[in-house]
Amino acid sequence: MEPYWLSILGVLILCLLSVALAVYSGSSKGFAGALSGPVIPADDANLLYRIDRVHMNSVEALAPFVGPAVLAMMVGVGSATLATIVWVHVAIRLLHLGVYLRGGNAAKGGSVRTIVYVSGAIVTLVLVLVTGWAAIN
C-alpha cells in the first residue's frame, strides 16, 4: 500500500472533513438553540441551513468516492493516476465547502455551487471508470 500513501492521505482528509463538518453543523445548531435535524427555514440565505447542507453534501459525496478509491488500490490503478484523481476531488470538495458557506448568489442552487458539486460527481465517475478498467485488464 506504500505507493498509494498520497491517495490514502487524500481519502483520510475527505473523511476528516466530513467529521469536522458534522461537529461544525451540530455545534452551530446548539449555539443557535436549534434542534438537531433539518434546519428551518430551508433557505440559502440562512447560514445555519448552508452549514447543515454542506455537511450533508460532504457525507453524500464521501461513500461513492471512497469505495472506488479503495477498490482502485486493490486492483492496481497507477498510484500517480489515483493520487491525481483523489486530490482533484479533495480540491473540488474544499471549493464546494467555501462557496456554500460564503453564501450569496454563488451558493444558490443552479449556480457556481451546483457546477462545483457536479464536477465532483464527474471526478467520482472518472474514478469508477478507471477502477473498472483496471479491474478487467
Side-chain angles (χ1 to χ4, degrees):
M1 294 304 269
E2 188 176 335
Y4 294 110
W5 74 269
L6 201 53
S7 298
I8 293 169
L9 180 63
V11 166
L12 291 175
I13 287 172
L14 289 170
C15 293
L16 286 173
L17 180 63
S18 185
V19 171
L21 287 170
V23 171
Y24 183 43
S25 177
S27 64
S28 296
K29 288 177 185 178
F31 289 131
L35 298 173
S36 62
V39 175
I40 307 293
D43 180 7
D44 286 327
N46 180 351
L47 176 60
L48 204 54
Y49 172 74
R50 292 195 317 272
I51 292 169
D52 189 54
R53 287 305 308 150
V54 78
H55 166 245
M56 296 310 297
N57 285 163
S58 76
V59 170
E60 292 163 357
L62 189 62
F65 188 81
V66 170
V70 171
L71 290 173
M73 293 177 224
M74 293 171 63
V75 301
V77 169
S79 59
T81 300
L82 183 58
T84 300
I85 293 170
V86 167
W87 284 97
V88 166
H89 190 74
V90 169
I92 288 170
R93 295 306 310 154
L94 290 172
L95 181 60
H96 178 264
L97 180 148
V99 167
Y100 216 156
L101 291 182
R102 183 175 160 269
N105 287 334
K108 293 184 178 176
S111 189
V112 174
R113 183 195 90 211
T114 302
I115 293 167
V116 174
Y117 189 83
V118 171
S119 297
I122 290 169
V123 171
T124 300
L125 177 61
V126 168
L127 174 60
V128 168
L129 294 173
V130 167
T131 302
W133 183 257
I136 60 175
N137 286 320

